[in-house]
Amino acid sequence: MTSRRRRSVLLTGAAGALLMVIGSAATANAATVRYYDVAPGVRLNVRDGPGTSYSIVRVLPEGTKVPIYCQTPGTSVSGYYGTSTIWDNISNGQFVSDSYVHTGSDGHVADRCSS
């Protein structure tokens, strides 16, 4: 095998190994996100911040499940599952009140969002 060919094989193998490691990390992160049911019969407002004073960016239809990436304090909301100041980050810059999400807990079920 020529020197050039050997380098090409080594680089190809190293690139493949790196992709396997990156792919494993992405899969591990995706596996830690849980999805939760939105309260039955509720069309849930999604806001661009953790409170009712933030703009509504979309409305989730009835029967939706949402991921919770992190949670943060915000406006107190009385909803289907009680009253809570916890807001769930369900996408980049998108929040819903935890009082409409069935997490099975009155407290946090995910890490706190970083500031």
Side-chain angles (χ1 to χ4, degrees):
M1 188 181 297
T2 67
S3 176
R4 184 182 301 177
R5 172 89 173 119
R6 210 172 324 179
R7 276 185 296 211
S8 175
V9 168
L10 286 173
L11 287 175
T12 301
L18 179 60
L19 287 174
M20 285 174 44
V21 169
I22 290 170
S24 296
T27 302
N29 285 340
T32 61
V33 175
R34 291 195 47 210
Y35 283 76
Y36 300 88
D37 292 319
V38 170
V42 171
R43 295 178 66 234
L44 186 58
N45 292 333
V46 178
R47 298 182 179 271
D48 62 6
T52 55
S53 63
Y54 289 89
S55 298
I56 297 171
V57 295
R58 62 185 171 126
V59 178
L60 299 175
E62 293 180 29
T64 300
K65 288 183 176 282
V66 294
I68 298 178
Y69 294 104
C70 63
Q71 295 177 302
T72 192
T75 306
S76 180
V77 173
S78 294
Y80 191 90
Y81 296 111
T83 301
S84 179
T85 59
I86 298 172
W87 285 74
D88 304 328
N89 178 279
I90 63 166
S91 187
N92 191 19
Q94 296 185 8
F95 297 84
V96 296
S97 171
D98 194 63
S99 62
Y100 288 99
V101 179
H102 186 253
T103 62
S105 172
D106 288 336
H108 291 89
V109 297
D111 291 339
R112 305 317 170 266
C113 300
S114 56
S115 300

